[in-house]
């Protein structure tokens, strides 16, 4: 296994010892793997739902060309 902090390789005994400590702490504080996954999800940010994505794509036009009637939301390239 790779040691993230020093870039070295950990021995299997070190890994087993670390996992045993983690398991003991989880038992001591009644933490489940689902609790950890939920916590990591909050810290990293959840993926936006389909509703949020759909809302972001549909924005009202802010500018209208009086000659051609072309509209522009102010994002992306302006109409020619």
């Amino acid at each position: 296994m790779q040691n993230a902090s020093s870039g070295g390789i950990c021995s299997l005994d070190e890994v087993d010892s670390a996992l045993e400590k983690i398991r003991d702490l989880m038992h001591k504080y009644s933490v489940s793997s689902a609790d950890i996954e939920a916590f990591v999800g909050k810290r990293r940010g959840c993926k936006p739902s389909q509703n949020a994505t759909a809302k972001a794509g549909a924005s009202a036009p802010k500018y209208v060309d009086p000659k051609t009637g072309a509209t522009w939301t102010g994002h992306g390239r302006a109409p020619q």
Side-chain angles (χ1 to χ4, degrees), residues 2-8:
Q2 290 279 334
N3 183 345
S5 61
S6 65

Side-chain angles (χ1 to χ4, degrees), residues 1-16:
M1 299 223 124
Q2 290 279 334
N3 183 345
S5 61
S6 65
I9 297 177
C10 296
S11 70
L12 290 177
D13 290 334
E14 290 175 318
V15 172
D16 288 341

Side-chain angles (χ1 to χ4, degrees), residues 22-71:
I22 292 169
R23 187 180 57 222
D24 291 342
L25 287 170
M26 289 175 67
H27 181 71
K28 179 179 178 180
Y29 294 105
S30 300
V31 175
S32 68
S33 58
D35 295 332
I36 294 171
E37 289 175 9
F39 178 77
V40 170
K42 288 180 190 176
R43 303 267 307 193
R44 291 187 179 176
C46 296
K47 293 182 181 180
S49 66
Q50 289 180 345
N51 294 341
T53 306
K55 275 187 175 179
S59 53
K62 295 181 181 179
Y63 306 100
V64 178
D65 184 357
K67 293 180 185 175
T68 63
T71 60

